[in-house]
Amino acid sequence: ALYLSNGAVCENSLFTGNAAISCFDWDATHRRGGVVHLTDSGTALVNCTVVKNLLADASGNNNNNYAGIVQKNRAMVVNSVAYMNKPDAGFAGSYGDVYAGGDTDRDNWQNYFVNSAWGTWITKTVREVTVDTPSAVGVDAASFADYANGDFRPSSVGFLFDTGSDDEYQALAVSNQDLAGVRRMQGLFIDVGSYELQTASELSVSAGVDSHGLVAGATAIFTAEASGGSGSYLYKWAFGDGSSDELTTSAEVQHVFATAGRFNVTLCASDDGGTSWGAPVALQDAIVVAPADIYVDAANASPVFPYDTPEKAAATFGDAYGCLTNTVPETLNMAVVDGVTIHVAKGTYAGAGYVLAGAVTVVGEGAKQTVVDGNGGYRVFSLTSSGAALKNLAVSNAVFTADEDCGAGVYMEVGLVENCEILSCGDFSHIRTMGGGIYASGGRISRTVFKGCRVYTRYSGYVGYGSALYLSNGAVCENSLFTGNAAVSCFDWKPEQRRGGVVHLTDARTALVNCSVVKNLLADASGDNNNNYAGIVQKNRAMVVNSVAYMNKPDAVFAGSYGDVYAGGDSDRNNWQNYFVNSAWGTWITKTVREATVDTPSAIDVDASAFRNYSAGNFVPKTKGVLNDAGTSWEGYIGNGGRSGLDMSGSARLCGRKLDVGCFESAGERFYITIR
């Protein structure tokens, strides 16, 4: 198991179930073998347990024989135990629990076995076997807490308890804990072997903090909780930032981290006024300290951590993001700092897997200038903090990595996506996926363009939900444009397969407000795009307000698919009008199971003439057209989930008495009064 030389030390370790070789003694150079082999002066085995190790036979296979420690040339064996490592009688030239050094040291081998224990000792001269019984600590199965079941802790009445040498341990060992993490030297003397018998209530301490992510200069509040021991506690904090350790009797302490970085904080406690300290306990997560503003510029040739000015800007988004992340499993690669803005300059930045778990805002210089490109990787951003936000940038080229996955481009539980573009996210490679562009189970999407997003389709019904956007759990999308996305057809072989859509709204409180869903593609059975279209799927009383769906009509070959709008489950179809408020579409198709009927509901009837220049892709409502001033009042807009005072292009959202329908507001021919 272990070979030690040149002053190497092994302490507080367990060796069991290993396969040793026999130590044949044909000449002085062949004194070898052992589970643990110590070969020279200065080398040491300290408080170790070598128990139940197998002896390999001549063929190299294991049998029920055992072999233990080989100690040579004045190597030290201290406070250690070897038991039931006795070889079979058939191996006449082999050694049992312990074999002691070369001929020159055999006469005084006792000097190098200090307070150690074993069951059988065999020495050997060349080709002659003699058995000695040295004056070592005697050990048997009763010396262990439960030898038969593999509990090799000392028994309180056995030969291992309180029989070690504290001085030799302190001279050679480093750890103040045994193999199980129990504090060493709890009784009158240290125990022999890798375990210390816990005889009293063990002093233990734990540490906590109010936030694992801070802006530089902010104050962190740490709390300590101690138990066991006796008397009052003294706490010693090490904050890892170069400051002096802080000693306090209070269970709460405050500390200001002045500089940016990632700091590992540790705490230890004493119950005897600082004479002895328990083992340091590390805070579960590192403390991440960041500047309030971090800059990223791909053109910067001289980045300087922590990237807190444009001149010091990080060259990659990943480097800037790393200023906010932890490295422990529970928060691995999560931006955990609240109150930080990452300013991203013009350029394209490759990367994916960024989790905004704190109130972090990522802001670009505009969606046409700043692009964070997934480069075919999985999910560019995840927003899991209510203060997380993406603004003024594009997210592109991210894909799903598994069937039934959610959000290829962006995954939102909360937070805000505003004035962004979501481009070419999702794929045709995985089934039952949701939200090729964005999957939002909460939060708000505002003034955002979705284009080129997709989910998988297949005629047998293995389809996805919301090629561009999936909304649930009260999430709202407002003043946004969906065009050129590849939707799946909404096959209706079973009620639960009412899926699909460019935008898929799935439950009450979820809303699509003042959005335009125009010219989106329907993917055919092979996953390719053709000139067919599919639009909004609204289910379970989700709201569609002041929105327009046009030219999302599927080809006749997709008899089971739906056009501009598909309305909810059977229980809601009779009153679906209550959930489509001042909205417009060109073709409405409803369907019962395997039977198609076409309805013409009392909605705004829209065609190409409703837009300023539909054929050229200008979807602004035409002045005095059917979409102009056809929406709700401002109160109705706010009451149904709208918030932005600007439309998709940045114009005032309300220019007349009522809002226009769709994501654009037409300034039109307005009457202005200028007062000088």
Side-chain angles (χ1 to χ4, degrees):
L2 178 64
Y3 182 96
L4 293 175
S5 68
N6 198 35
V9 175
C10 177
E11 59 170 318
N12 296 294
S13 297
L14 171 66
F15 302 82
T16 188
N18 303 286
I21 61 172
S22 57
C23 186
F24 297 107
D25 198 16
W26 297 106
D27 57 54
T29 62
H30 286 156
R31 289 165 185 148
R32 304 171 183 169
V35 168
V36 182
H37 190 105
L38 299 89
T39 194
D40 53 34
S41 177
T43 301
L45 191 71
V46 185
N47 277 87
C48 290
T49 300
V50 185
V51 183
K52 277 189 174 181
N53 293 283
L54 308 177
L55 179 68
D57 65 19
S59 67
N61 297 319
N62 297 331
N63 55 28
N64 291 322
N65 304 307
Y66 307 93
I69 301 170
V70 172
Q71 174 268 1
K72 295 169 63 177
N73 302 322
R74 305 188 182 186
M76 298 295 294
V77 178
V78 178
N79 298 343
S80 294
V81 56
Y83 181 64
M84 282 305 291
N85 303 292
K86 180 181 177 181
D88 187 84
F91 293 90
S94 58
Y95 300 86
D97 290 322
V98 175
Y99 168 75
D103 291 331
T104 58
D105 295 325
R106 186 175 292 145
D107 292 339
N108 65 351
W109 61 264
Q110 295 95 330
N111 296 334
Y112 312 117
F113 285 85
V114 179
N115 289 79
S116 292
W118 49 82
T120 301
W121 169 259
I122 303 177
T123 63
K124 186 175 187 296
T125 57
V126 176
R127 299 197 182 188
E128 294 178 5
V129 177
T130 61
V131 178
D132 299 335
T133 304
S135 55
V137 178
V139 64
D140 56 18
S143 300
F144 301 94
D146 189 354
Y147 173 81
N149 292 306
D151 185 348
F152 302 129
R153 292 176 301 165
S155 166
S156 61
V157 296
F159 295 115
L160 305 179
F161 177 63
D162 268 4
T163 56
S165 167
D166 298 351
D167 292 340
E168 293 287 348
Y169 182 82
Q170 292 178 3
L172 293 167
V174 174
S175 177
N176 60 2
Q177 294 179 315
D178 75 351
L179 182 61
V182 174
R183 185 175 59 183
R184 273 298 188 188
M185 293 179 284
Q186 294 202 26
L188 296 175
F189 301 98
I190 196 169
D191 294 346
V192 168
S194 58
Y195 296 99
E196 186 83 6
L197 184 63
Q198 189 168 326
T199 57
S201 179
E202 176 77 357
L203 173 62
S204 64
V205 67
S206 61
V209 66
D210 61 336
S211 175
H212 287 94
L214 300 169
V215 174
T219 299
I221 301 174
F222 296 90
T223 54
E225 184 175 346
S227 61
S230 60
S232 59
Y233 301 114
L234 180 64
Y235 303 102
K236 180 165 61 176
W237 292 92
F239 297 107
D241 60 349
S243 61
S244 300
D245 291 353
E246 183 163 344
L247 297 177
T248 177
T249 57
S250 173
E252 181 176 293
V253 65
Q254 297 184 3
H255 185 75
V256 176
F257 291 90
T259 58
R262 185 182 293 111
F263 305 107
N264 294 305
V265 177
T266 59
L267 167 69
C268 54
S270 173
D271 61 352
D272 57 9
T275 302
S276 62
W277 294 92
V281 174
L283 204 66
Q284 182 180 11
D285 302 344
I287 303 297
V288 179
V289 182
D293 293 279
I294 300 174
Y295 294 85
V296 188
D297 187 348
N300 187 20
S302 302
V304 179
F305 178 88
Y307 321 120
D308 53 350
T309 68
E311 294 74 23
K312 299 178 182 178
T316 70
F317 185 84
D319 286 344
Y321 173 79
C323 293
L324 310 176
T325 62
N326 242 313
T327 56
V328 296
E330 292 79 3
T331 57
L332 182 64
N333 290 335
M334 294 184 181
V336 295
V337 182
D338 289 338
V340 172
T341 300
I342 301 178
H343 305 268
V344 189
K346 297 177 182 178
T348 298
Y349 302 83
Y354 304 120
V355 181
L356 305 186
V360 178
T361 298
V362 180
V363 57
E365 294 190 12
K368 302 298 184 186
Q369 289 78 37
T370 303
V371 179
V372 184
D373 190 281
N375 196 30
Y378 174 55
R379 190 181 295 153
V380 178
F381 289 104
S382 296
L383 279 62
T384 61
S385 167
S386 59
L390 304 176
K391 297 182 178 181
N392 306 335
L393 54 83
V395 173
S396 64
N397 295 319
V399 300
F400 297 109
T401 58
D403 294 344
E404 302 183 7
D405 207 352
C406 302
V410 178
Y411 175 91
M412 298 177 63
E413 296 177 2
V414 285
L416 173 68
V417 175
E418 182 178 68
N419 200 27
C420 292
E421 291 189 4
I422 312 298
L423 307 172
S424 302
C425 292
D427 58 50
F428 292 132
S429 302
H430 298 92
I431 63 175
R432 296 185 295 275
T433 50
M434 292 172 277
I438 295 179
Y439 176 95
S441 61
R444 176 176 298 272
I445 299 101
S446 181
R447 302 176 57 226
T448 292
V449 175
F450 294 78
K451 190 172 184 177
C453 298
R454 54 215 181 270
V455 289
Y456 181 80
T457 183
R458 196 165 73 192
Y459 197 84
S460 60
Y462 293 104
V463 295
Y465 304 74
S467 61
L469 176 64
Y470 182 96
L471 293 174
S472 67
N473 198 36
V476 173
C477 178
E478 60 170 349
N479 299 293
S480 295
L481 173 65
F482 302 80
T483 189
N485 302 285
V488 300
S489 56
C490 185
F491 298 107
D492 199 14
W493 299 106
K494 300 176 183 178
E496 64 269 20
Q497 289 181 354
R498 290 173 182 143
R499 306 170 180 171
V502 167
V503 181
H504 191 104
L505 300 89
T506 193
D507 53 35
R509 300 182 300 112
T510 301
L512 192 72
V513 184
N514 276 92
C515 290
S516 298
V517 184
V518 183
K519 275 190 174 180
N520 292 284
L521 309 176
L522 179 69
D524 66 19
S526 66
D528 297 324
N529 298 329
N530 56 27
N531 293 320
N532 304 306
Y533 308 95
I536 301 169
V537 172
Q538 175 268 1
K539 295 169 64 176
N540 302 321
R541 306 188 181 188
M543 297 297 296
V544 178
V545 180
N546 297 343
S547 293
V548 57
Y550 181 63
M551 283 305 290
N552 303 293
K553 179 182 178 182
D555 188 85
V557 100
F558 293 93
S561 59
Y562 301 86
D564 290 324
V565 175
Y566 168 76
D570 292 329
S571 61
D572 294 326
R573 186 173 294 145
N574 292 332
N575 63 354
W576 63 264
Q577 293 96 330
N578 295 334
Y579 313 118
F580 285 85
V581 179
N582 288 76
S583 293
W585 48 81
T587 302
W588 168 261
I589 303 177
T590 63
K591 187 173 187 295
T592 57
V593 177
R594 301 200 180 190
E595 294 180 3
T597 61
V598 178
D599 298 337
T600 305
S602 55
I604 301 169
D605 190 10
V606 64
D607 58 20
S609 66
F611 304 96
R612 185 168 291 176
N613 191 342
Y614 171 81
S615 61
N618 185 342
F619 304 128
V620 175
K622 182 178 291 186
T623 304
K624 298 182 180 179
V626 295
L627 302 178
N628 184 214
D629 282 353
T632 63
S633 64
W634 183 259
E635 290 74 18
Y637 171 74
I638 296 296
N640 284 294
R643 293 294 179 269
S644 178
L646 302 176
D647 74 350
M648 181 71 244
S649 65
S651 298
R653 180 66 270 188
L654 180 63
C655 290
R657 293 182 178 180
K658 293 183 177 181
L659 279 74
D660 291 353
V661 170
C663 65
F664 296 103
E665 190 79 11
S666 175
E669 298 173 2
R670 304 298 184 192
F671 179 69
Y672 296 96
I673 299 176
T674 303
I675 300 176
R676 297 181 183 276

